[in-house]
Amino acid sequence: MLKFPYCNVTDLNQALAQCRFVGLLGPLASRRQSPRAVVSCSPSSSEFSLTPVQAVMSCQQQVGSSLVNRLRLGGLTEDGFSYKEKFIIRGFEVGINKIATIETIANLLQEVGSNHAQSVGFSTDGFGTSPTMRKLHLIWVTARMHIEVYKYPAWRDVIEIETWCQNEGRIGTRRDWILNDVATGEVFGRATSKWVMMNQDTRRMQKVSDDVKEEYLVFCPREPRLAFSEKNNKSLKRIAKLEDPVRYSKLGLKPRRADLDMNQHVNDVTYIGWVLESIPKEIIDTHELQAITLDYRRECQQYNVVDSLTGLELTEGSKMVSVGTNGSATATATTREDDHDCHRFLHLLRLSSDGREINRGRTEWRKKPTR
């Protein structure tokens, strides 16, 4: 492994600040074919011809003695195009059945995505932004999140999450995850998300420029890689708007201070909890969430008041199996004639003040397994 004897740094950010990346401003096409960089850790050290990915990984090795890097059980994969990290499911991350909650899973997805961004030298301010984005006051915001869990990990299980990102159209990017049980090697979950670029000052969407693409595409897989195959991909399914009257609702939800993230906005995972607030108790008691899709349509601030609405998703072959009380969460759901244990719901989070949409969602629930 290459050594940089004149490096004297204590963390990755300092290392990357000292490393010089030369020749990274060429056309995107040539960068994608053969990205090259000359890296040195001080003006007096020798220069080595490396790809940007190799340069980052090499600088990471030089700061591996820092406390955070020693304790974190994660890092870039050998090709540098994805990031893996291991976690132990802790007691405060499980419910009464000692099984990890969907909020725990979603929080770990966020953590791995953030650590991936930091590992390649992007900002540590919580936005995962590149140098050009910071200069132009641009940030990434979540547009859609889709999570499927085939089997929930239990207390003290060790899991490994792999993540990577890639280009997604003119105004966005895509991040995918695969979740594995370390003991068995079994894939127990997958997730995908779409992110769009927003101007931090005007709060308007903005096209991803070639300059920004050049900064992050060098760390993305060369060929499209998807956590879900495009065939029968539920993450792509359009979510219809839920209209009143609805069968189930929970009104007047207020963000707590603990719901705010480091960027002073309500954390994305909080929306999942709000969606679950209006799920019928009979479903919560007998079923577990197997898939959730959320479309994020509006930012939620600390002093907003939110209504959570839930309705039955009627699909082809569905029929009503019981009738509930309007405005309550005490009725059961619809079922498909060939799938009596699976229940599907549509969701809407809206501002109590004027009814504007914050989030649309869809959930699927399966019968809880016998453990």
Side-chain angles (χ1 to χ4, degrees):
M1 178 57 65
L2 296 173
K3 286 191 174 183
F4 299 93
Y6 299 100
C7 277
N8 181 21
V9 294
T10 59
D11 57 34
L12 175 59
N13 294 322
Q14 190 176 344
L16 291 171
Q18 291 183 2
C19 289
R20 292 187 288 124
F21 292 80
V22 181
L24 294 185
L25 300 179
L28 181 62
S30 62
R31 279 277 309 285
R32 295 288 284 156
Q33 292 174 0
S34 181
R36 305 296 295 175
V38 176
V39 179
S40 64
C41 284
S42 74
S44 60
S45 64
S46 301
E47 293 188 341
F48 302 88
S49 181
L50 300 172
T51 68
V53 172
Q54 291 171 330
V56 168
M57 296 179 72
S58 189
C59 281
Q60 279 185 313
Q61 270 218 333
Q62 301 308 303
V63 297
S65 60
S66 68
L67 181 61
V68 67
N69 287 322
R70 291 206 310 269
L71 296 179
R72 181 178 292 161
L73 300 177
L76 293 171
T77 56
E78 288 186 5
D79 61 11
F81 296 140
S82 67
Y83 176 93
K84 292 182 178 181
E85 187 166 352
K86 292 182 176 69
F87 300 92
I88 301 172
I89 302 299
R90 296 166 293 184
F92 60 86
E93 296 173 321
V94 301
I96 59 175
N97 56 0
K98 299 184 180 179
I99 303 301
T101 65
I102 186 63
E103 290 97 330
T104 291
I105 299 298
N107 275 318
L108 291 178
L109 297 181
Q110 281 193 356
E111 177 70 7
V112 173
S114 175
N115 292 345
H116 180 207
Q118 291 185 40
S119 72
V120 299
F122 287 176
S123 76
T124 59
D125 59 5
F127 290 110
T129 51
S130 68
T132 298
M133 291 177 65
R134 292 194 295 277
K135 180 180 178 181
L136 300 176
H137 295 186
L138 301 175
I139 59 174
W140 295 113
V141 294
T142 313
R144 171 172 274 219
M145 172 71 72
H146 177 81
I147 306 172
E148 294 184 14
V149 182
Y150 314 127
K151 180 182 179 182
Y152 282 85
W155 176 45
R156 300 179 68 181
D157 281 353
V158 181
I159 67 173
E160 182 177 67
I161 303 177
E162 180 179 9
T163 187
W164 64 95
C165 59
Q166 53 207 323
N167 191 48
E168 180 77 14
R170 294 186 302 170
I171 64 168
T173 187
R174 168 177 179 152
R175 178 175 289 280
D176 286 37
W177 296 264
I178 293 180
L179 301 89
N180 290 276
D181 184 311
V182 171
T184 66
E186 175 185 11
V187 174
F188 69 84
R190 301 175 189 270
T192 187
S193 61
K194 293 184 179 180
W195 301 69
V196 293
M197 186 171 290
M198 173 188 284
N199 185 290
Q200 192 172 4
D201 301 323
T202 66
R203 316 310 287 180
R204 294 182 179 275
M205 299 298 108
Q206 187 157 329
K207 179 182 176 181
V208 181
S209 68
D210 286 347
D211 288 342
V212 172
K213 285 183 180 179
E214 287 186 10
E215 288 177 327
Y216 77 82
L217 284 182
V218 291
F219 302 110
C220 298
R222 293 295 178 257
E223 300 295 331
R225 182 186 176 194
L226 308 176
F228 300 94
S229 65
E230 291 302 308
K231 184 178 180 181
N232 299 322
N233 188 345
K234 298 176 184 178
S235 71
L236 301 176
K237 188 176 180 181
R238 179 179 175 272
I239 302 176
K241 183 179 180 180
L242 189 62
E243 301 286 356
D244 278 332
V246 295
R247 188 175 300 276
Y248 319 112
S249 64
K250 185 73 171 181
L251 308 181
L253 298 167
K254 298 180 181 180
R256 304 169 304 158
R257 281 192 290 269
D259 293 327
L260 301 182
D261 59 22
M262 66 181 73
N263 304 316
Q264 302 300 311
H265 292 100
V266 173
N267 190 289
D268 291 348
V269 180
T270 299
Y271 298 124
I272 296 177
W274 285 343
V275 163
L276 300 183
E277 282 293 316
S278 55
I279 290 290
K281 185 177 184 301
E282 288 81 0
I283 298 299
I284 295 292
D285 289 345
T286 60
H287 289 68
E288 65 181 13
L289 185 66
Q290 70 177 14
I292 182 169
T293 309
L294 295 177
D295 278 344
Y296 295 88
R297 294 174 173 266
R298 186 178 303 278
E299 292 179 290
C300 186
Q301 308 293 335
Q302 179 178 0
Y303 299 106
N304 290 143
V305 181
V306 177
D307 294 338
S308 175
L309 309 180
T310 291
L312 310 170
E313 183 181 33
L314 296 174
T315 57
E316 185 178 354
S318 297
K319 64 178 182 179
M320 293 298 298
V321 296
S322 70
V323 178
T325 304
N326 187 37
S328 71
T330 59
T332 184
T334 66
T335 104
R336 291 174 55 115
E337 294 180 356
D338 59 348
D339 191 359
H340 296 282
D341 289 333
C342 185
H343 299 274
R344 298 172 177 84
F345 296 92
L346 294 177
H347 307 275
L348 175 67
L349 298 179
R350 68 184 183 189
L351 295 177
S352 298
S353 58
D354 55 19
R356 286 182 295 171
E357 282 186 277
I358 299 173
N359 197 295
R360 291 185 192 183
R362 173 188 291 109
T363 58
E364 293 187 13
W365 300 75
R366 59 172 173 256
K367 198 76 172 178
K368 285 183 178 179
T370 302
R371 297 185 185 273

